[in-house]
Amino acid sequence: MYSMCLKPYNWLLLLSTIVEFIIEYLNIFYGVLQLLWVLLGSTILGLIMQRLAARLGVVTGLHLAEMCYRQYRKWPRLFLWVMMEIAIIGSDMQEVIGTAISLYLLSNKL
């Protein structure tokens, strides 16, 4: 037992294993931090857009879709409509997938 601890290559092997573990842990942690920054940014952007839409409604008495219909021509309106449909589909997919995962975990993986 003591002879294993005295050999220098065992210490180097242990040290390299610890360093590899720390690097792998930091890479995973860095990825999680990147996702959290994206989440924070999208939340702030959503709050800003909701506030601007609410101000538009208070000042003009029209909602955002009515203002876009009055201000834009046909092709920009169609582009906005397609982009909004894609955003709605994306948020619905998150809800459905999250519900499916939670039911799978709560139902004892049946």
Side-chain angles (χ1 to χ4, degrees), residues 4-100:
M4 183 181 77
C5 293
L6 295 177
K7 294 179 183 173
Y9 59 86
N10 285 333
W11 286 101
L12 292 176
L13 182 63
L14 178 66
L15 183 64
S16 68
T17 306
I18 291 172
V19 168
E20 286 177 13
F21 176 76
I22 290 173
I23 289 173
E24 185 67 29
Y25 178 76
L26 289 178
N27 282 338
I28 293 170
F29 185 68
Y30 181 69
V32 170
L33 282 180
Q34 283 181 330
L35 290 175
L36 288 176
W37 280 111
V38 169
L39 180 64
L40 178 67
S42 64
T43 302
I44 290 172
L45 185 61
L47 290 173
I48 290 171
M49 293 301 291
Q50 285 183 347
R51 185 173 175 156
L52 290 175
R55 285 183 178 184
L56 178 71
V58 167
V59 171
T60 64
L62 303 172
H63 55 75
L64 189 58
E66 290 174 338
M67 284 303 291
C68 289
Y69 183 77
R70 290 184 181 192
Q71 295 293 323
Y72 294 125
R73 289 180 285 203
K74 182 179 180 179
W75 292 110
R77 280 194 321 245
L78 287 174
F79 178 72
L80 284 173
W81 174 68
V82 169
M83 296 306 291
M84 290 302 111
E85 289 295 329
I86 290 171
I88 290 169
I89 290 169
S91 67
D92 287 344
M93 282 175 51
Q94 289 176 342
E95 292 175 8
V96 170
I97 292 171
T99 303

